[in-house]
Amino acid sequence: MNKEPLYQGEKIKDLIPQREPMMMIDSYYGGNGNEGVAGLTIKDNNIFCENGMLHEPGIVEHVAQTAAAFNGYNNRISAQNGGEPHIGYIGDVKNCIINRLPNVGETIITHITLITRVLNVGLMTAETKVNDEVIATCQIKLFEKTD
Amino acid sequence: MLLDNYFYIEKQEKDEEDFLFLVRLNTEHPIFNGHFPGNPISPGVCNIQMIKECAERIMGCQLTLDNIKQCKFSNLIIPSSELRITISIRLQQIEGDRIKLHGIISTGDIKNTELKAEGKMIL
């Protein structure tokens, strides 16, 4: 993983199709080959925050958008379809264990690994951390709409 | 979080073990501007959250779904004012403050989302 983000702020929109208030990553760090890493510093106006914590939908969406950014980044560097981010959908989520909900002000970093890809469906595993503490792990299947 | 804001419960009933909620979406909600611009789709994570909030209404307390064993999103939910959504929920208390939840979102004969999860009650 790179120490400095390759994409952050407005530039994230080059990698993912989601827009406010549904943007759940604010930085993308790249990764090698089958891996991608993205981060989010949790703000109190996040639509999935309540009582000072980011709740399950925010965490799972953050994971899904890390996967989407991984696809978006790879599409950009291979410049398919002009490199614009494709719309994608979660196909399924499996074995998603949440050890704790992260707090406003904390930065979560998700590391995804592509296990297999069949046509436009990618199966990935994800680990989400605050510093060195693993707060969530899951497996996610992401459909990418390529037309 | 989403109840009375992103979605509204129009009717709640019980059918043997299952609780049934008839709900509709707020098509004007800002989430649909961002997911996706010009192409509104109910985010899968919002579908999970709607199931959870219906379960919270049954339990009378907040829940954290800390173990989503599986959630399948087999058909997209595209918001419209005519769309009538049914959320069916089966709950089982497993031990102490832990519950098992099985939730299905459907529109007519179409199954959109099926969630199998465990969680803890926030008492």
Side-chain angles (χ1 to χ4, degrees), chain B residues 3 9 22 25-26 40 45 53 65 68-69 79 100-102 107 115 117 122:
Chain B
L3 181 60
I9 295 174
L22 192 64
L25 296 177
N26 171 11
V45 298
E53 291 187 27
L65 300 182
I68 298 174
K69 290 176 174 293
K100 198 181 254 189
L101 164 63
H102 184 193
T107 46
L115 170 70
I122 312 297

Side-chain angles (χ1 to χ4, degrees), chain A residues 17-22 47-51 55-58 60-61 65 87-99 101 143 145, chain B residues 1-2 29-31 33-37 39 41 43-46 48-49 52 62-74 76 120:
Chain A
Q18 290 82 4
R19 294 294 178 264
E20 284 89 5
M22 273 302 288
I47 200 152
F48 297 123
C49 275
E50 220 169 57
N51 304 324
H55 287 253
E56 306 92 305
V60 176
E61 186 64 19
Q65 290 186 16
I87 284 182
Y89 313 111
I90 305 174
D92 76 27
V93 173
K94 257 188 194 166
N95 301 325
C96 177
I97 306 285
I98 296 175
N99 299 321
L101 301 176
F143 285 92
K145 206 172 164 217
Chain B
M1 184 182 283
L2 299 183
H29 196 279
I31 281 179
N33 299 335
H35 193 282
F36 299 93
N39 189 8
I41 290 161
V45 298
C46 290
I48 295 176
Q49 182 69 17
K52 185 181 98 166
Q62 288 206 298
L63 299 171
T64 299
L65 300 182
D66 54 14
N67 183 353
I68 298 174
K69 290 176 174 293
Q70 181 162 46
C71 190
K72 278 191 187 177
F73 303 97
S74 37
L76 299 174
K120 58 172 181 267

Side-chain angles (χ1 to χ4, degrees), chain B:
Chain B
M1 184 182 283
L2 299 183
L3 181 60
D4 293 333
N5 167 10
Y6 181 83
F7 78 111
Y8 302 93
I9 295 174
E10 298 202 313
K11 205 171 154 194
Q12 177 180 344
E13 51 191 41
K14 191 156 189 261
D15 174 24
E16 300 193 358
E17 278 183 81
D18 296 324
F19 292 87
L20 297 176
F21 295 84
L22 192 64
V23 313
R24 71 184 159 83
L25 296 177
N26 171 11
T27 58
E28 303 295 317
H29 196 279
I31 281 179
F32 296 119
N33 299 335
H35 193 282
F36 299 93
N39 189 8
I41 290 161
S42 181
V45 298
C46 290
N47 301 349
I48 295 176
Q49 182 69 17
M50 288 195 287
I51 294 172
K52 185 181 98 166
E53 291 187 27
C54 288
E56 289 177 339
R57 200 159 141 138
I58 299 165
M59 303 294 297
C61 67
Q62 288 206 298
L63 299 171
T64 299
L65 300 182
D66 54 14
N67 183 353
I68 298 174
K69 290 176 174 293
Q70 181 162 46
C71 190
K72 278 191 187 177
F73 303 97
S74 37
N75 284 286
L76 299 174
I77 299 176
I78 297 165
S80 80
S81 49
E82 301 86 58
L83 190 68
R84 289 296 175 268
I85 299 172
T86 304
I87 301 181
S88 86
I89 290 182
R90 191 171 290 194
L91 282 167
Q92 191 192 339
Q93 196 163 352
I94 37 183
E95 53 179 31
D97 61 353
R98 296 198 60 79
I99 54 113
K100 198 181 254 189
L101 164 63
H102 184 193
I104 295 174
I105 304 185
S106 51
T107 46
D109 297 333
I110 298 167
K111 191 195 273 187
N112 300 85
T113 301
E114 180 167 12
L115 170 70
K116 289 175 182 165
E118 287 183 12
K120 58 172 181 267
M121 297 183 257
I122 312 297
L123 299 170

Side-chain angles (χ1 to χ4, degrees), chain A residues 33-51:
Chain A
N34 288 334
E35 297 173 347
V37 179
L40 174 72
T41 297
I42 300 162
K43 296 188 175 153
D44 59 5
N45 64 354
N46 187 302
I47 200 152
F48 297 123
C49 275
E50 220 169 57
N51 304 324

